[in-house]
Amino acid sequence: MDLNRRTINLRRVVVTGMGALTPVGKSVPESWQNIKKGKNGIAKITRFDVSEYPVRIAGEVKGYNPLDYFDRKEARTQDPFIQYALIATREAFKSSSGLAEYAGLDKEKAGVYIASGIGGINTIEANKENLMKRGPTRVSPFFLTAALANLATGRVSIKHGFKGPNLANVTACAASTHSIGESFKIIQLGDADVMIAGGAEYPITPLGIAGFSVIKALSMRNEEPEKASRPFDKERDGFVAAEGAGIVILEDLEHALKRGAEIYAEVAGYGYTGDAYHMTAPDPEAGGACRTMRMALRDAGLEPGDIDYINAHGTSTPLNDKLETLAIKKVFAEHAHKVSISSTKSMTGHVLGATGALEAIFSICTIRDSFIPPTINYENKDEECDLSYTPNKGVAKDVRYALSNSFGFGGTNGTLIFKKFEK
């Protein structure tokens, strides 16, 4: 192996396309405009009867009809998390300055890396019910290809003919942060010129909501869903489960410039660590969160004071918000009280394996529009959460560097840093 390949001449990587499906919009422009306005996307669950559930609220994608996007066979044979990935990828291509039509695209150097924390749980539930009620011959022949977590990647790859790296990861709530970060490294090292990266999730199912409910991870504010997701607020009582997809197109800078692509931002750094502490609770010293942010800063060649904005993991759980605040204080020292912070989960809820990709997109939009989105529902100050969380109303601010955090069950952590593109 050429050792110099991994230490010299790393390629610059830029973002040239974005797509999203969220509880606050069915595209990046719609979602971002609603995020800027502080619009809430949390409501009572409409998809199934939740009258006997302790938690009856979630962040559903509003008004979604698969037949608006797919024919009946496609809709029937693809779990919704795969549908969401395909829809967000379609938008990313539309915003990519004609990448799909670019004659110079080598599809053997174009890959896909789409994550999911849970995969096709909706399909698994439906087929288990068929098995128990109607017998083994009534399980769908499309069951496995609709349920497997890597089939979002597989479907997108087949749809667009991308024959390069073909990967998927399942790292809980950090999954799509990792998929973008790993795609960044793949392009840096020259193993691909283009990567479709991100995540997709459809966890608002009977089993999904029941599972999160019984471990008491979710907010119980059933009578006021619009106030349930309240990161860093003293009265927070849990996260709100949500669904959606976020996809970015990453590209080698020279490749993007050669085809005249619009560049939304540059990927500057990536960090990934483990707590090695507990299945669901974060390290009480915030060690893993500190290490992943420091690793990303080191990868980007930056000092803590260079960061203008942090899109916090900010789940609205008592432990996460307190310990993420502690981690920011440890890493950023005196700059911790100066850097602008917000949690867009206050509006979208927690989109689990797709949340990192969505928050990466919102971080890129923050850079592009020079606007810090708010943390809504911030009403009661917590003495242990005392940083600048941009309460309730967004603010205009020039942002050169934005950092986005994601932390997941099992103690998995990821951080991405984006920068304003400059030739």
Side-chain angles (χ1 to χ4, degrees):
M1 182 179 72
D2 180 3
L3 295 179
N4 290 333
R5 176 174 177 267
R6 297 192 179 273
T7 56
I8 299 174
N9 296 327
L10 293 177
R11 302 198 297 177
R12 292 173 67 184
V13 180
V14 293
V15 181
T16 57
M18 300 186 290
L21 201 63
T22 79
V24 294
K26 294 193 184 76
S27 66
V28 170
E30 183 184 8
S31 297
W32 175 239
Q33 287 305 311
N34 284 329
I35 290 290
K36 289 174 73 174
K37 295 173 185 175
K39 183 175 180 179
N40 167 63
I42 310 305
K44 293 191 176 181
I45 293 171
T46 62
R47 190 166 297 143
F48 54 93
D49 182 7
V50 291
S51 58
E52 295 184 4
Y53 281 66
V55 173
R56 300 186 290 277
I57 58 174
E60 296 177 332
V61 174
K62 311 297 186 296
Y64 176 70
N65 181 352
L67 297 181
D68 292 340
Y69 302 92
F70 306 100
D71 63 34
R72 290 188 181 278
K73 182 179 178 181
E74 288 177 312
R76 184 170 55 86
T77 59
Q78 297 174 156
D79 188 271
F81 94 98
I82 296 174
Q83 297 173 22
Y84 284 2
L86 286 163
I87 293 165
T89 300
R90 185 184 307 176
E91 182 191 358
F93 269 102
K94 286 182 180 178
S95 69
S96 71
S97 307
L99 175 63
E101 295 78 33
Y102 177 52
L105 176 61
D106 180 355
K107 292 194 175 182
E108 293 186 2
K109 295 276 284 182
V112 185
Y113 202 144
I114 298 175
S116 184
I118 296 179
I121 188 172
N122 186 69
T123 293
I124 294 169
E125 289 181 42
N127 279 274
K128 176 62 183 299
E129 186 173 353
N130 274 345
L131 173 66
M132 300 310 292
K133 289 183 176 179
R134 304 169 68 189
T137 62
R138 304 305 296 177
V139 170
S140 170
F142 301 106
F143 165 51
L144 290 177
T145 54
L148 293 174
N150 74 307
L151 262 295
T153 288
R155 292 273 191 173
V156 168
S157 172
I158 292 165
K159 174 79 173 175
H160 298 283
F162 278 21
K163 300 176 182 178
N166 186 290
L167 301 161
N169 62 301
V170 181
T171 46
C173 305
S176 54
T177 291
H178 290 150
S179 70
I180 293 171
E182 295 301 317
S183 296
F184 163 53
K185 293 300 174 184
I186 287 167
I187 296 173
Q188 268 196 329
L189 293 172
D191 293 331
D193 297 326
V194 177
M195 291 293 295
I196 298 170
E201 206 75 88
Y202 189 87
I204 314 304
T205 70
L207 184 59
I209 295 300
F212 282 116
S213 296
V214 296
I215 61 171
K216 302 189 185 305
L218 301 179
S219 172
M220 301 284 287
R221 291 177 182 265
N222 294 312
E223 302 311 314
E224 46 181 5
E226 70 284 353
K227 294 186 177 181
S229 187
R230 44 196 317 112
F232 306 107
D233 184 90
K234 191 170 186 175
E235 302 301 320
R236 65 191 183 276
D237 70 329
F239 74 84
V240 178
E243 63 187 18
I247 296 291
V248 295
I249 294 176
L250 303 184
E251 196 166 346
D252 165 55
L253 173 60
E254 294 305 317
H255 190 275
L257 292 175
K258 187 174 181 180
R259 69 181 188 86
E262 179 181 359
I263 294 172
Y264 297 104
E266 181 171 356
V267 188
Y270 169 51
Y272 50 107
T273 66
D275 284 0
Y277 173 72
H278 191 271
M279 289 299 296
T280 57
D283 173 2
E285 298 301 320
C290 290
R291 289 192 300 275
T292 190
M293 285 190 280
R294 287 178 178 138
M295 184 179 182
L297 287 165
R298 188 166 59 248
D299 190 43
L302 298 175
E303 297 297 327
D306 294 323
I307 300 298
D308 303 298
Y309 170 64
I310 297 173
N311 188 297
H313 188 54
T315 58
S316 186
T317 60
L319 279 179
N320 175 88
D321 296 1
K322 176 178 76 170
L323 292 173
E324 186 171 13
T325 297
L326 175 62
I328 292 169
K329 288 178 179 178
K330 286 184 172 182
V331 172
F332 288 85
E334 68 275 4
H335 188 59
H337 291 275
K338 301 174 185 175
V339 65
S340 295
I341 303 167
S342 63
S343 172
T344 47
K345 286 185 182 72
S346 60
M347 294 163 277
T348 64
H350 193 342
V351 195
L352 307 179
T355 204
L358 291 173
E359 289 158 13
I361 289 168
F362 298 148
S363 297
I364 292 163
C365 291
T366 293
I367 292 171
R368 183 194 64 193
D369 290 1
S370 300
F371 187 87
I372 308 294
T375 303
I376 68 168
N377 295 323
Y378 187 88
E379 299 172 344
N380 309 287
K381 185 174 181 179
D382 184 336
E383 294 78 6
E384 293 181 294
C385 297
D386 58 350
L387 300 179
S388 300
Y389 306 114
T390 319
N392 302 312
K393 187 176 181 180
V395 296
K397 179 181 177 180
D398 185 54
V399 176
R400 188 177 181 211
Y401 290 103
L403 179 150
S404 181
N405 280 330
S406 297
F407 313 130
F409 282 2
T412 184
N413 309 298
T415 297
L416 291 165
I417 298 176
F418 298 94
K419 67 175 291 189
K420 184 174 291 187
F421 174 66
E422 299 167 345
K423 287 189 180 179

